[in-house]
Amino acid sequence: MCGITGSWGRPGTEEALSALVAAMARRIASRGPDDTGSFCEPDVGLAFGHRRLSILDLSPHGHQPMSSRDGRFVLCYNGEIYNFRELAGELADAGVALRGHSDTEVLVEAVALWGLEATLPRLIGMFAFALWDRRERRLELVRDRLGIKPLYYGVTRSGLVFGSDLAALRAHPDFDPQLNRDAVALLLRLQYVPCPYSIYLGIHKLAAGHRISLTGPDALTGSDAATPLAWWDPIDVAARASREPFGADGRELTDEVERVLGDAVEDRMVADVPLGAFLSGGIDSSTVVALMQARSREPVKTFTIGFREDEFDEASHARAIAAHLGTDHTELYLDDAQARDVVPLLPGLWTEPFADPSQIPTYLVSRLARQSVTVSLSGDGGDELFGGYTRYRQTVETWNDLAGQPGLLKLAARAARAALSPDGLEALGRRLNFLLPASARGRDIGGSLRYRSDLLSRESIDDLYRYSVGYWHDAHRVVKGAHWRKSELERDLCELFPGRPEERMMLLDTLTYLPDDILTKVDRASMAVSLEARVPILDHRVFELAWRIPIEYRVRDGVEKWPLREVLARHVPRELFERPKQGFGAPVTEWLRGGLNDWGEALLDPRRLRDEGIFEPEPVRRMWTQLQAGQPISTAMWTVLVFQAWWENERGGGAS
């Protein structure tokens, strides 16, 4: 696991270009504390910078950037290729003699032998890399199938920049960071900035499963600008897999899931450094740990974060599963004080504002694990592949309820929504509040009116789902100067994948929420402490098998993730894991009303909001007051606070 960065177009000597990318790479040193390197082509102003976290082949043979034996290709790579040994065998059969045993060398020599297009489908792993073709003078930027590893790219005054993290790009002397206000509005809607946008104008995220081929440092500008191309499309893969459904009975299905997922787990247990796993006590992480322990000669090291609040605490469940499996288990309980200690670090850990509240426990469990291991397996991906989110079922139920509402009521709701702004509905609610008896006043009638009219105005079940996963639905009105921007979430999947609505919801999450929220959270939190996190459920072979399983088996008789539960039941008694889903959350409401209240109040001071000119002060202050009064809107409020903390940290860097 590593951090990569680069620049193309700025003139300079080899010494000057090496110093430039070295400075950029230092900004992401936690992604690779063990080694640093650079490569330069001064005649074209190209330079790569690299930071290495040594996992495989700890010798100098794994040093990057790395050239192919024939000198044609130079690779700057972040990730792990889990089937590198099999590929190395194929290379050996073709007469390629490797110098070491790193997956980096296997990747660059595979490209030299087979070409990039033929190599990519052979790879099993997670990766983001830059590949320079010295003969064709072409730069390729590539991201793995499901977006486990990040890659930003964009333009400066002098040309192209790219890197694993925005911090590296900000170190470039020609980078002029300008705030993308449309992206701020998207952040408020979704609690993350979705691909392909970034918080800066002119900087993009490369989408999962995509590559972009650049023939010059100005290839991103003008009418002939390069366009990212999909080399792996989850919609296409899911559609093809679903046309060949797994027809066996429940036992054979469970056998196949255990075999394929078990192979993925075993692949991710290969490392030349200590290895462990996150264990929340939920289905996904427990299944991964169970399969790890079944393949390990020693107790697997497992790590859990607990909360004092029962609503969020799964530590006792994790402890029971760890005891049954015989793992070497470590847990840490959080309180307000520990949360307050992490909050000031967030703008540095997530250099692009990011507001999933579970970022705090994810960072703390990563820090806990790093005290003992360098690699940790995680259970992320099970919900998106096996239908684990209760919101899928709830959306179907809500849509069915809405279908029974009178047509005139829906027309009235749409008319009200079109005629009245969100603030207008709030004002109407305040007026209606005065008509209530004194004992009933104080209710958020305006908010209820907005919510009901929004629900009744949905045009389809897919539209309802998009609405249900949002927070500030009028965010482009709350952010000054922002415009409504579509994200991948607005993609219409009905023609591309005309399956069950729940399946389209799962695919939308795979395209959006999974890479932009879940995987971003895990990557930044783990890399901040130089820990490599591996996600076996997101092996593409597991993905393909999951989509061969009919939805009736993935969610069987109302039970989510049925195949994973059946696998886990072969290793752990059902009474240890059969309970309602909790998720890996955090008691943000209690924190913001308690130990973090002063922090929030300072960031949302009305004069400060007016002077900064980012948000309309009135709706922001109104939501803060509602939160303090007991309304459950902590995630929406947390998003504003995270941005404000990021912006406070950013202003010293010159964004405007």
Side-chain angles (χ1 to χ4, degrees):
M1 191 61 59
C2 306
I4 66 173
T5 192
S7 170
W8 192 7
R10 181 180 172 86
T13 63
E14 182 170 352
E15 182 180 13
L17 290 173
S18 295
L20 167 64
V21 290
M24 296 172 72
R26 277 196 296 272
R27 294 288 187 92
I28 54 174
S30 67
R31 299 186 73 93
D34 298 329
D35 189 21
T36 185
S38 64
F39 164 81
C40 302
E41 290 269 42
D43 59 320
V44 294
L46 177 80
F48 289 169
H50 191 268
R51 297 291 309 207
R52 183 185 182 198
L53 175 63
S54 301
I55 303 296
L56 294 169
D57 192 351
L58 309 185
S59 75
H61 289 301
H63 179 78
Q64 291 193 54
M66 184 180 291
S67 297
S68 58
R69 290 190 316 159
D70 61 8
R72 176 178 175 181
F73 295 100
V74 181
L75 176 68
C76 192
Y77 156 65
N78 166 32
E80 299 288 351
I81 306 300
Y82 301 117
N83 63 330
F84 75 100
R85 289 174 176 163
E86 292 83 354
L87 295 175
E90 294 182 44
L91 291 172
D93 291 342
V96 178
L98 300 177
R99 294 157 288 187
H101 63 274
S102 73
D103 58 336
T104 307
E105 186 180 8
V106 168
L107 176 55
V108 74
E109 295 299 346
V111 172
L113 178 64
W114 300 314
L116 181 61
E117 289 189 10
T119 296
L120 288 174
R122 298 171 183 251
L123 304 179
I124 299 173
M126 56 181 183
F127 46 84
F129 62 80
L131 181 75
W132 174 240
D133 185 337
R134 304 183 75 180
R135 187 176 74 190
E136 300 294 332
R137 289 296 197 251
R138 178 182 292 111
L139 176 66
E140 300 277 358
L141 301 178
V142 184
R143 195 174 180 197
D144 64 55
R145 293 174 176 87
L146 289 162
I148 301 170
K149 292 291 100 183
L151 189 55
Y152 292 89
Y153 69 98
V155 294
T156 69
R157 289 186 293 265
S158 60
L160 174 78
V161 290
F162 67 87
S164 301
D165 192 280
L166 288 175
L169 276 59
R170 289 219 50 181
H172 194 288
D174 294 332
F175 182 51
D176 182 21
Q178 300 292 320
L179 183 67
N180 184 346
R181 289 176 181 256
D182 296 346
V184 179
L186 286 166
L187 170 72
L188 262 61
R189 280 173 54 198
L190 302 172
Q191 77 182 8
Y192 55 83
V193 177
C195 184
Y197 308 103
S198 86
I199 199 64
Y200 297 130
L201 291 170
I203 302 299
H204 312 282
K205 299 183 182 82
L206 185 61
H210 279 66
R211 53 182 282 210
I212 186 167
S213 182
L214 304 168
T215 55
D218 58 349
L220 296 176
T221 60
S223 58
D224 296 326
T227 301
L229 299 174
W231 66 270
W232 192 85
D233 183 355
I235 299 175
D236 178 63
V237 173
R240 283 189 284 106
S242 64
R243 289 194 291 268
E244 300 177 359
F246 197 89
D249 62 19
R251 182 177 180 82
E252 290 178 311
L253 172 60
T254 304
D255 288 343
E256 185 66 3
V257 172
E258 181 165 20
R259 182 190 69 79
V260 175
L261 181 55
D263 287 348
V265 167
E266 187 168 350
D267 287 346
R268 285 154 183 80
M269 293 176 68
V270 176
D272 296 332
V273 293
L275 176 142
F278 301 140
L279 178 60
S280 70
I283 300 297
D284 304 336
S285 65
S286 298
T287 303
V288 168
V289 169
L291 295 175
M292 287 179 72
Q293 191 58 70
R295 288 158 174 76
S296 178
R297 298 176 181 176
E298 300 176 351
V300 172
K301 293 181 182 296
T302 53
F303 307 92
T304 294
I305 289 291
F307 294 99
R308 305 297 177 190
E309 296 84 358
D310 291 341
E311 179 184 355
F312 295 91
D313 183 45
E314 287 189 289
S316 61
H317 305 303
R319 189 184 315 124
I321 289 172
H324 179 83
L325 293 173
T327 71
D328 179 3
H329 192 59
T330 304
E331 64 183 32
L332 171 68
Y333 271 82
L334 300 183
D335 56 26
D336 269 14
Q338 290 162 305
R340 288 197 301 273
D341 290 343
V342 173
V343 166
L345 305 177
L346 295 180
L349 301 177
W350 282 267
T351 54
E352 180 172 66
F354 176 82
D356 184 332
S358 62
Q359 62 195 135
I360 292 178
T362 303
Y363 167 72
L364 288 170
V365 76
S366 297
R367 192 171 70 180
L368 177 67
R370 189 61 177 93
Q371 296 172 14
S372 304
V373 301
T374 309
V375 175
S376 185
L377 272 63
S378 173
D380 297 295
D383 291 313
E384 291 81 5
L385 270 60
F386 292 94
Y389 292 126
T390 56
R391 62 178 181 246
Y392 301 147
R393 170 176 47 82
Q394 291 168 347
T395 300
V396 173
E397 292 173 353
T398 300
W399 180 252
N400 291 337
D401 290 342
L402 291 173
Q405 299 297 318
L408 286 176
L409 181 60
K410 294 179 181 179
L411 288 174
R414 290 169 186 165
R417 188 167 174 264
L420 293 174
S421 68
D423 287 342
L425 287 170
E426 294 280 358
L428 177 61
R430 288 193 293 272
R431 292 177 183 176
L432 293 174
N433 200 32
F434 285 112
L435 301 177
L436 296 174
S439 60
R441 290 177 187 171
R443 297 176 182 173
D444 183 19
I445 296 179
S448 297
L449 285 172
R450 287 178 57 189
Y451 177 69
R452 295 298 178 188
S453 65
D454 280 350
L455 284 185
L456 289 166
S457 300
R458 298 304 106 192
E459 300 286 348
S460 66
I461 191 170
D462 302 273
D463 185 28
L464 177 63
Y465 184 69
R466 287 189 284 267
Y467 175 82
S468 72
V469 296
Y471 297 93
W472 292 77
H473 298 289
D474 57 337
H476 59 292
R477 295 188 177 97
V478 177
V479 180
K480 294 183 177 181
H483 303 86
W484 174 269
R485 286 288 181 265
K486 283 189 174 183
S487 72
E488 194 75 2
L489 188 65
E490 275 74 42
R491 186 169 179 176
D492 186 356
L493 296 183
C494 287
E495 293 185 5
L496 294 174
F497 194 88
R500 291 268 294 270
E502 302 96 310
E503 294 178 303
R504 294 200 298 275
M505 297 174 205
M506 291 161 62
L507 275 175
L508 277 174
D509 279 346
T510 299
L511 293 167
T512 58
Y513 182 68
L514 179 64
D516 291 333
D517 186 309
I518 300 298
L519 296 175
T520 295
K521 174 184 64 180
V522 174
D523 174 80
R524 305 307 192 275
S526 59
M527 286 283 89
V529 295
S530 306
L531 176 76
E532 178 174 297
R534 298 177 175 178
V535 280
I537 295 177
L538 292 180
D539 187 301
H540 72 279
R541 297 167 298 179
V542 179
F543 181 94
E544 291 167 4
L545 174 60
W547 280 95
R548 288 189 60 207
I549 302 173
I551 188 64
E552 293 81 7
Y553 273 84
R554 281 185 276 178
V555 182
R556 189 170 186 179
D557 298 326
V559 178
E560 293 94 354
K561 295 187 284 195
W562 183 83
L564 294 182
R565 291 175 188 270
E566 293 303 296
V567 172
L568 182 56
R570 295 179 171 184
H571 302 269
V572 174
R574 289 185 185 274
E575 58 266 22
L576 294 185
F577 65 83
E578 291 291 8
R579 61 183 184 279
K581 180 180 177 63
Q582 282 185 262
F584 192 50
V588 172
T589 301
E590 289 75 10
W591 292 347
L592 293 178
R593 292 175 187 158
L596 294 178
N597 182 268
D598 291 343
W599 170 76
E601 186 63 49
L603 291 172
L604 302 179
D605 177 79
R607 178 178 297 178
R608 177 176 182 164
L609 291 173
R610 286 194 299 271
D611 292 345
E612 290 172 340
I614 306 296
F615 298 116
E616 296 288 351
E618 184 179 348
V620 171
R621 288 297 306 181
R622 183 167 62 244
M623 181 172 283
W624 178 248
T625 301
Q626 291 169 345
L627 174 69
Q628 300 304 320
Q631 292 192 28
I633 49 178
S634 57
T635 301
M637 197 71 256
W638 181 255
T639 305
V640 178
L641 291 167
V642 163
F643 175 84
Q644 285 291 93
W646 177 85
W647 184 244
E648 181 177 63
N649 184 72
E650 182 80 353
R651 281 181 298 178
S656 60

